[in-house]
Amino acid sequence: MLKELRNLGIVWGVIVERKKVSLEELRAAVAERDPKILESIDEIVEELYTLGLIDYEDNNIVLSNVVPDNMVEMPCIRCDRLSTCRIGARSDPFKCEKFVEWFIKNFSEHSL
């Protein structure tokens, strides 16, 4: 399951970076990161769609407009350390610069 979560994060990261990507472009970008993911990329894309994170526009995969922008920007889901990240662990979200920066930006009194 942890490997599946990592793979989902890699695919999600490519989609977030590109905002709009064809399945062929997605396959090529994912293959550069980890070619083994290509074996399950169709299932991963289907899972992202089921979760409401992506949608389809013509022949392209796009970010869903249902998910708020600040959640799309959350760095965790596309992080390579997600499977081992836990409070108190070596990979602790509150020791992660990207997470802390995102958290402060979205949940501090100044942003409310």
Side-chain angles (χ1 to χ4, degrees), residues 61-111:
I61 299 166
V62 296
L63 296 173
S64 172
N65 59 6
V66 175
V67 180
D69 289 341
N70 64 342
M71 295 309 293
V72 169
E73 295 169 1
M74 184 180 194
C76 301
I77 195 167
R78 54 190 161 177
C79 179
D80 292 339
R81 296 185 201 144
L82 180 61
S83 61
T84 60
C85 188
R86 305 281 181 275
I87 293 175
R90 185 175 186 180
S91 295
D92 185 321
F94 292 103
K95 293 178 185 173
C96 173
E97 269 186 53
K98 291 179 183 178
F99 174 77
V100 171
E101 181 180 306
W102 173 84
F103 187 86
I104 290 170
K105 177 182 170 190
N106 289 282
F107 297 104
S108 72
E109 289 181 33
H110 302 295
S111 65

Side-chain angles (χ1 to χ4, degrees), residues 1-9 34 36-37 44 83:
M1 170 150 166
L2 296 178
K3 184 176 181 180
E4 293 168 7
L5 190 56
R6 176 188 172 274
N7 294 350
L8 185 137
D34 187 344
K36 293 178 184 177
I37 297 174
I44 293 170
S83 61

Side-chain angles (χ1 to χ4, degrees), residues 18-31:
R18 307 260 176 119
K19 309 271 188 261
K20 184 176 188 178
V21 63
S22 71
L23 186 55
E24 294 78 28
E25 293 169 332
L26 179 63
R27 287 179 194 275
V30 168

